[in-house]
Amino acid sequence: SEASTKLAEGYAPEVETATGIERHSLLTMFAIRGYGYTGEEHFLAEGEKQINLIREKLSAAKSLAAEQSFLLGLGERAKAAEEGVNNYEAYVKKTETLNGKMHETRTGLNNAAAEYMKHCTQFLAAQNEAMAKEIESGAAPSELKERLWKINLVNDIIDIGNATRIENYKAQALRNISMIEAAFGNFDKMDKMFADLRSVTRNAANISQIEATKAAMQAAAKELDFL
């Protein structure tokens, strides 16, 4: 009968296609949400796979609408859904671009932090060595006091650098931008510490270490500004 034919060739395929679109849409959102939170490439690959499957179902829906004219509105709905998929995919591409920049930024931050700590450690080692020599040679109390002050200050510089790095990781893990903004306040404190340390440093090698540490701090601040 005509009703049986419409059911078999029109309504049943329409329901199957709609169900497939819904299923693949949910799987797409799940995968892309995972990618947005973790940046893991396998989530992106799965999301793109599901988007392609949605497109296949939409293509089938448009073909079905052309073949079965009694399925009123199916072609228009499929076309509207296709536009939605195009818009969604454009946002996925933007997310992919931003995740790529985030990866570059994290790499830059890690490199800057490594440079910061390397030069701080070298400066601290030099100060400890110099103080040991001054003690052995019977240096004046004022000289020992200044040397101890430098050692304490560079330890403070190491501590604030570590605290800033930890705050950055916590901010990214919790997705809390205000924590990153708060971490920026540490850079002004570091700048003041470097100025104080530089004012009582006369050895050329030590001055170079201070400048290199400051340059690493500035590089980290620039990378952090992207986040």
Side-chain angles (χ1 to χ4, degrees), residues 211-225:
E211 294 303 321
T213 309
K214 185 175 179 179
M217 177 206 73
Q218 292 169 337
K222 184 178 179 180
E223 295 289 357
L224 197 61
D225 190 45

Side-chain angles (χ1 to χ4, degrees), residues 109-122:
L109 280 169
N110 288 336
N111 291 340
E115 282 294 300
Y116 182 98
M117 290 303 166
K118 180 184 78 173
H119 295 297
C120 280
T121 301
Q122 290 174 346

Side-chain angles (χ1 to χ4, degrees), residues 5-149:
T5 299
K6 285 184 176 180
L7 178 63
E9 298 181 2
Y11 296 127
E14 180 182 28
V15 171
E16 189 279 330
T17 301
T19 302
I21 290 171
E22 180 182 28
R23 180 174 66 255
H24 294 305
S25 295
L26 291 173
L27 291 172
T28 298
M29 287 187 285
F30 177 80
I32 297 304
R33 182 180 298 173
Y35 177 64
Y37 275 109
T38 68
E40 294 289 339
E41 291 295 322
H42 68 89
F43 282 119
L44 176 62
E46 179 62 23
E48 291 175 336
K49 171 187 170 183
Q50 295 300 328
I51 288 174
N52 288 333
L53 291 172
I54 292 172
R55 291 193 185 281
E56 289 179 10
K57 291 294 183 182
L58 288 173
S59 178
K62 289 190 292 184
S63 296
L64 183 64
E67 294 169 3
Q68 310 295 339
S69 59
F70 60 87
L71 297 175
L72 301 177
L74 177 60
E76 288 75 10
R77 292 194 299 273
K79 183 178 180 181
E82 196 168 48
E83 291 177 0
V85 171
N86 290 338
N87 290 334
Y88 185 83
E89 191 170 33
Y91 282 112
V92 171
K93 294 299 182 185
K94 287 182 180 179
T95 301
E96 185 177 2
T97 298
L98 286 173
N99 274 348
K101 290 182 179 178
M102 287 281 284
H103 177 73
E104 291 177 3
T105 296
R106 290 190 185 104
T107 300
L109 280 169
N110 288 336
N111 291 340
E115 282 294 300
Y116 182 98
M117 290 303 166
K118 180 184 78 173
H119 295 297
C120 280
T121 301
Q122 290 174 346
F123 186 93
L124 182 59
Q127 296 307 306
N128 283 327
E129 183 181 348
M131 187 165 191
K133 289 179 179 178
E134 288 172 346
I135 291 172
E136 290 175 2
S137 64
S142 60
E143 293 178 2
L144 295 175
K145 184 177 179 181
E146 180 183 285
R147 187 69 63 187
L148 181 61
W149 183 82

